[in-house]
Amino acid sequence: MAKVEKDNKESEKITRVKKLIKKRVKELEDNGLASNPLLESTTWKSDIVEDSVIPIRFEDEPLCEDKKHRVLSLFSGCGGMDLGFEGHFIASKKSFAKDSPLIDHQLNDDWVFLKKTQFQTVFANDILPEAEKAWTMYMRRFGYSENVYHNASIVELVKMHQKGADIFPQNIDVVTGGFPCQDFSVAGKRQGFNSQKDDWGKKRAENKPTEESRGKLYYWMKQVIDIVRPKVFIAENVKGLVNLGDVKDIIQQDFASADGNGYIVLTPQVLHAGNYGVPETRERVIFIGIRRDALKAEALQALESDEIPDEYNPYPKPTHAGTLKDKSLLPKVTTYDVLKDLKEPEESLDVSQKVYSKAKFLANGSQGQIEIKLDGLGPTIRSEHHGNIEFRRLSAEHGGKHSAELKAGMKERRLTPRECALIQTFPPDYRFIIKKTTGNGYLVSSSAAYKIIGNAVPPVLAYHIATRLEELWPKYFRV
């Protein structure tokens, strides 16, 4: 009897899928095959997976009914942190142990599909319109409306709230944010709190308060924490911040003052992405704050101790020997592991793989004038383009060492947006270069794609942070 009921339900679902597809095809015809999600997913091509993995959600089904924890995302970019907190995306098989409970199923010999988490993004924000386009294009597969994403400055949003506007959702459990890093980065001018850029990344006008400069936007994140009072907040920035005078300590103290000194802000830690299954030499400082009055008594005591017990430490332990010499860890994931299935740009059907920066090689030792190592970690992918993007391979004349590829006739070129994205552990079915559905031009160009990819938190690193927090949630908080 149970089997009959199960078969009937499956038959009903298949019928509903057919009706849904028929309905959407009709919409495509009515709209002249324009701006429809089904068309975009079926015409999009990948070198790695046969079809874009887009779960079908029916209109009468509740959104994320099994998601328990509500996330408010600031400085969201194209969603590296958000995707990590969401889960349910494609990753390299070598980024996880064979028997990892985090794997939902294996797609093929090289790629796996990760399990979903209990986190749900209810608000996202960034000033870059191209980041919004890429984010909404991918995240709608989870049922998210484009209204979740707010293309606005955090300064404007907080000021609107202060004037009585209903801006931020209620009942927020987690706030995440990678506040702008250019003013703290070793690759930048390192002006820190004295940034001459405003909250939109433009030159700061003389009458613009310094509190609204790009270097102090973390403080506006702190004000959002004051407003929504999450149980946890996670802030991310470049490693260079740690070595910039007392900047780290000031930021830590300011975050701790949120909600009337209501948060324990743990000692920030620098996480190397290569030690978490990411084929990249990316290092980021992570701040984690936890609201005191939401904690169980034993958790509060553990988190306030001079040395936090391992069973209460929210920072994920390394999984891979990226920079560590530890035989108990998995081998580092190399750039070859994630790039080997890609076709060369001239042969690829993937728009994000077909193009690359044509900036010529410069023999002056400047940034981006080296080729990547296929047997090791890739370089830190930066939010830049043209002459600062590393080479996929150099010619023999310029010191190229990938001799087998050169002998096979493969030419000197820089990394494509898709290759940069895979090194960052974005899934191979994430669309970065997006053409307009009518007329010429792009919603997200190749230059914009390089920028938003380089700004992002590696999704696999964020997934480890999210799943560790998910594991500790019942241990930390009262029901």
Side-chain angles (χ1 to χ4, degrees), residues 130-166:
E130 54 266 34
E132 177 189 17
K133 294 297 183 184
W135 192 100
T136 54
M137 178 72 75
Y138 188 87
M139 298 295 279
R140 69 185 175 197
R141 67 183 57 198
F142 303 122
Y144 291 147
S145 162
E146 62 183 15
N147 295 327
V148 170
Y149 204 106
H150 302 263
N151 181 213
S153 160
I154 187 174
V155 174
E156 291 179 349
L157 294 172
V158 171
K159 285 182 175 180
M160 290 167 65
H161 168 85
Q162 292 170 343
K163 291 179 180 179
D166 185 15

Side-chain angles (χ1 to χ4, degrees), residues 245-254:
D246 56 358
V247 167
K248 175 181 70 70
D249 295 333
I250 292 173
I251 292 176
Q252 185 176 354
Q253 291 166 13
D254 284 343

Side-chain angles (χ1 to χ4, degrees), residues 301-439:
Q301 182 179 359
L303 291 169
E304 287 187 324
S305 61
D306 293 335
E307 188 170 338
I308 299 174
D310 285 347
E311 61 268 29
Y312 283 95
N313 192 338
Y315 288 100
K317 290 185 176 180
T319 56
H320 291 67
T323 63
L324 305 171
K325 294 183 179 180
D326 186 338
K327 293 183 179 180
S328 67
L329 298 175
L330 294 169
K332 63 187 173 188
V333 181
T334 68
T335 60
Y336 177 78
D337 292 327
V338 297
L339 303 182
K340 64 180 181 179
D341 296 327
L342 289 175
K343 297 177 181 178
E344 284 297 291
E346 56 272 19
E347 300 172 352
S348 178
L349 296 176
D350 178 358
V351 178
S352 298
Q353 176 65 9
K354 289 172 72 69
V355 298
Y356 55 90
S357 167
K358 301 299 194 298
K360 294 181 179 180
F361 173 78
L362 297 175
N364 59 6
S366 58
Q367 260 186 356
Q369 309 310 314
I370 59 172
E371 66 181 10
I372 63 169
K373 296 179 180 178
L374 293 178
D375 59 352
L377 300 177
T380 298
I381 302 299
R382 297 181 297 275
S383 60
E384 303 170 20
H385 58 283
H386 299 312
N388 288 327
I389 295 297
E390 278 78 5
F391 282 82
R392 170 58 180 81
R393 76 182 66 83
L394 287 169
S395 65
E397 177 188 359
H398 294 148
K401 297 180 180 178
H402 304 321
S403 55
E405 292 183 343
L406 295 175
K407 288 179 181 178
M410 296 183 186
K411 62 185 179 182
E412 175 178 292
R413 64 170 177 84
R414 295 182 185 270
L415 291 168
T416 65
R418 174 63 65 207
E419 288 165 339
C420 290
L422 290 176
I423 290 172
Q424 274 270 64
T425 66
F426 276 94
D429 60 343
Y430 191 116
R431 295 180 62 193
F432 282 103
I433 297 179
I434 305 173
K435 293 183 178 180
K436 291 181 179 179
T437 53
T438 57

